[in-house]
Amino acid sequence: MTNFKTQTKLIWAVLLLSCFSMACQSKKSEDTMETTKTSILKEAWGQLPDGQKVSLFTLKNAKGMEVKISDYGGLITHWTAPDKDGKYEDVVLGYDSLAGYLKASPFFGALVGRYGNRIANAKFTLDGKTYNLLQNNGPNHLHGGKIGFDKVVWKTEELQDGRNGLKLNYVSKDGEEGYPGNLNVEITYVLTDDNALEINYTATTDKPTVVNLTQHSYFNLTGGKTDHLGHEVMINANHFLPVDKTLIPTGELKAVKGSVFDFTTPKTIGKGIDDTTDEQIKVGGGYDHCWVLNQPKKDSLVLAASAYEPTTGRFMEVFTTEPGVQFYTGNFLDGSITGKNGIVYKKRYGFCFETEHFPDSPNQKEFPSVVVRPGETYKTTTIYKFSSK
């Protein structure tokens, strides 16, 4: 009888010990999950002239890539990528502090909206009504106007679905910068462990409106050591959009074959950028055009472009559901801007792959539509993926 009681006590002791151990493991698991949840570093990053406080968020993955994003303008201020020796360096242009972006910035790292790129004569007609916008690029409207999405503070929250990412939300009021409808915009930046940054854009409206959102990071895969002319670029497009003297598309879809606009096989940016025998190069001062992507099915995710920098071995691929990509080669940089680490940004020191619908689409009915109506959801995805070779 005594042995039976002793055995029973021992069994209960083991069971209690086991339960305690499981509880500790569960608590440890919860703590680990909590650590993962709060892994995005948030820091104060100054304030706007009106007193609004601005924050900077750092996403970091298991390999060591870091992407810094501000709630002001959704700016990507820093973005590190590995070279062939595994060394991570910042590969985007920008400023060391908020002050630089507030003075004068050519859209370094910006979330652009409500309409990315140009709208001719700063107006468009929708459902029989004409909407007048700000002329801020010669006679045209560019990148959303005076206070576009790159110059407002977005609401932010860390993603709660296990992904390493940040969600940004902004409601653009009816009439803001001349656009119709209250537009509710949500954007997520998701950093994966294979060194890809996935950007998802969604928007809904309560009135018919036009929407064209994009990301305007300037890349230099040397880590800022020299210009970008030695980068080898591929653009998956058989056609591009010629522009007039104010950089508005003429409406023609022109074949790239046989021209300096042919990047269907990789070639250096510098190879044709100064070929002024090409009228379009003269007009753009280099490349500042939209390429019509080879997209087998509307809204399908395709490889849009890539860039390879031979001295570092850095390789970047861009995937998108958008029908076009604006390849801009920093033609308007002129050495008047001193950026991060005291680097002077000279002409062609950074290039952009702006995934988008075509410029001036609201006025060109032959182009894919940018109209969003109540009950519809604007939805696009772009992925920038880095590796080395």
Side-chain angles (χ1 to χ4, degrees), residues 64-83:
M65 175 174 280
E66 287 189 358
V67 181
K68 293 181 182 290
I69 302 161
S70 176
D71 53 5
Y72 174 71
L75 302 170
I76 293 177
T77 64
H78 297 73
W79 192 343
T80 66
D83 67 8

Side-chain angles (χ1 to χ4, degrees), residues 79-152:
W79 192 343
T80 66
D83 67 8
K84 57 191 174 186
D85 298 317
K87 181 183 178 183
Y88 281 77
E89 287 184 296
D90 192 4
V91 294
V92 292
L93 276 56
Y95 297 98
D96 289 316
S97 66
L98 176 62
Y101 294 93
L102 296 181
K103 286 179 183 176
S105 176
F107 302 96
F108 287 148
L111 277 181
V112 176
R114 181 177 302 196
Y115 196 92
N117 220 309
R118 297 172 176 86
I119 295 177
N121 300 311
K123 63 182 178 181
F124 65 93
T125 300
L126 178 59
D127 295 342
K129 184 175 179 180
T130 298
Y131 295 91
N132 294 300
L133 311 171
L134 177 72
Q135 291 182 326
N136 62 337
N137 185 245
N140 306 317
H141 177 79
L142 177 68
H143 291 335
K146 184 178 182 181
I147 304 177
F149 290 178
D150 62 300
K151 295 180 180 67
V152 298

Side-chain angles (χ1 to χ4, degrees), residues 262-330:
D262 189 351
F263 285 91
T264 51
T265 56
K267 68 177 183 181
T268 61
I269 297 175
K271 188 172 182 179
I273 198 169
D274 288 318
D275 185 358
T276 52
T277 62
D278 188 294
E279 286 301 314
Q280 284 298 304
I281 289 290
K282 286 172 67 176
V283 168
Y287 298 110
D288 192 2
H289 298 74
C290 185
W291 271 254
V292 181
L293 296 174
N294 297 331
Q295 193 175 40
K297 184 181 177 183
K298 183 178 180 288
D299 299 330
S300 60
L301 186 71
V302 298
L303 174 64
S306 67
Y308 171 64
E309 205 291 301
T311 63
T312 63
R314 290 192 178 96
F315 182 57
M316 177 178 71
E317 298 168 286
V318 184
F319 302 85
T320 190
T321 59
E322 292 277 33
V325 60
Q326 184 87 3
F327 179 42
Y328 170 56
T329 49

Side-chain angles (χ1 to χ4, degrees), residues 249-260:
T250 63
E252 176 189 5
L253 272 65
K254 189 172 183 178
V256 299
K257 190 174 182 180
S259 77
V260 295

Side-chain angles (χ1 to χ4, degrees), residues 364-386:
Q364 306 211 28
K365 305 307 178 188
E366 301 80 10
F367 289 174
S369 176
V370 291
V371 175
V372 180
R373 298 182 181 279
E376 299 175 346
T377 300
Y378 170 95
K379 189 174 183 179
T380 74
T381 296
T382 294
I383 301 169
Y384 295 88
K385 184 177 181 180
F386 286 89

